[in-house]
Amino acid sequence: MSKRKIIIEPDPILRKVSEPLEKVDNELRKLMDDMLETMYSAPGIGLAAVQIGILKRLIVIDISKGEEKKKNPLFLINPIITSRSKDTSIYEEGCLSIPGHFAEIERPAQCHINFLDYTGKQKQLKADGLLSTCIQHEIDHLDGKLFIDYLSKLKKNMIIKKLLKQKKTQDKIVL
Ligand code: GNR
Ligand code: NI
């Protein structure tokens, strides 16, 4: 397994729509293992492939506040939301592609999804709580959407401006 570099906003890659996968093979499983390692080391509770620059509809999630033994990774390939609840919940969200910024976001409290698992088997999942929020956050990534898109233009622009400034000083350090 190897750790990959996470792409930070603003970057046009994060705005692209990811493509469905055609088959689940060992090469894909290797990529999912890399995503999991990258997510754990960040650390984060979810990661979409686009965040490491791969435009495929692929997500890893682990909301178990993980001591080694209790790890509970979830691999979602070509996930589709089949229903969303009318009732909503609010969580403070963060994103590994938007480091250092957090905001309360309102989303459907429950969702049902269809997806292929690590072995390529078709599965269904009913999610609520943090898992439901995380799944929706990750599927947004697959459609080129970020949590800051739900904020006012003013708040969103402030965050993007700060991230851009950090990128520029980071570039100077590298030079
Ligand atoms: O690590 C993460 N935490 C988080 C908290 C609340 C709602 C969503 C998330 S996902 C985020 C990791 C990430 O950026 N996934 O795309
Ligand atoms: Ni994210």
Side-chain angles (χ1 to χ4, degrees):
M1 292 213 284
S2 57
K3 206 174 99 181
R4 310 285 192 102
K5 204 180 127 210
I6 294 175
I7 294 175
I8 306 299
E9 171 80 346
D11 189 311
I13 294 171
L14 293 172
R15 297 311 186 168
K16 298 203 170 191
V17 176
S18 294
E19 297 283 342
L21 288 133
E22 279 169 16
K23 61 178 192 314
V24 180
D25 56 12
N26 284 333
E27 193 189 337
L28 181 65
R29 279 186 279 270
K30 214 169 144 265
L31 171 58
M32 291 192 285
D33 292 343
D34 282 359
M35 285 172 61
L36 197 68
E37 185 183 351
T38 306
M39 182 190 79
Y40 282 142
S41 110
I45 60 169
L47 189 76
V50 57
Q51 293 179 276
I52 57 164
I54 294 166
L55 291 168
K56 296 288 178 196
R57 301 190 80 81
L58 193 57
I59 290 166
V60 296
I61 291 176
D62 191 339
I63 61 163
S64 71
K65 290 239 166 166
E67 282 142 64
E68 281 290 320
K69 290 178 192 171
K70 295 175 196 159
K71 279 183 183 169
N72 186 22
L74 187 59
F75 299 92
L76 306 178
I77 302 164
N78 298 343
I80 289 170
I81 297 181
T82 53
S83 74
R84 296 168 169 83
S85 64
K86 277 218 183 88
D87 61 309
T88 60
S89 59
I90 297 176
Y91 276 92
E92 168 132 294
E93 297 197 17
C95 181
L96 296 174
S97 297
I98 309 174
H101 297 274
F102 304 88
E104 293 194 327
I105 306 292
E106 183 174 15
R107 299 182 186 269
Q110 291 93 24
C111 65
H112 294 189
I113 57 167
N114 285 352
F115 62 99
L116 301 177
D117 72 4
Y118 195 80
T119 67
K121 197 169 168 233
Q122 184 74 52
K123 290 264 177 79
Q124 296 182 21
L125 179 67
K126 295 180 188 180
D128 62 12
L130 180 59
L131 180 60
S132 173
T133 287
C134 188
I135 286 171
Q136 293 174 64
H137 173 115
E138 301 310 337
I139 292 178
D140 273 354
H141 274 302
L142 304 185
D143 294 321
K145 191 157 185 177
L146 301 171
F147 82 80
I148 53 174
D149 299 348
Y150 297 99
L151 303 177
S152 69
K153 268 191 187 159
L154 185 71
K155 280 188 187 167
K156 177 178 166 176
N157 287 338
M158 262 168 46
I159 291 172
I160 290 175
K161 221 170 136 182
K162 280 186 184 160
L163 291 167
L164 193 59
K165 204 170 159 189
Q166 281 167 11
K167 263 195 189 180
K168 284 182 176 160
T169 44
Q170 192 54 46
D171 287 350
K172 274 184 195 155
I173 292 163
V174 174
L175 281 169

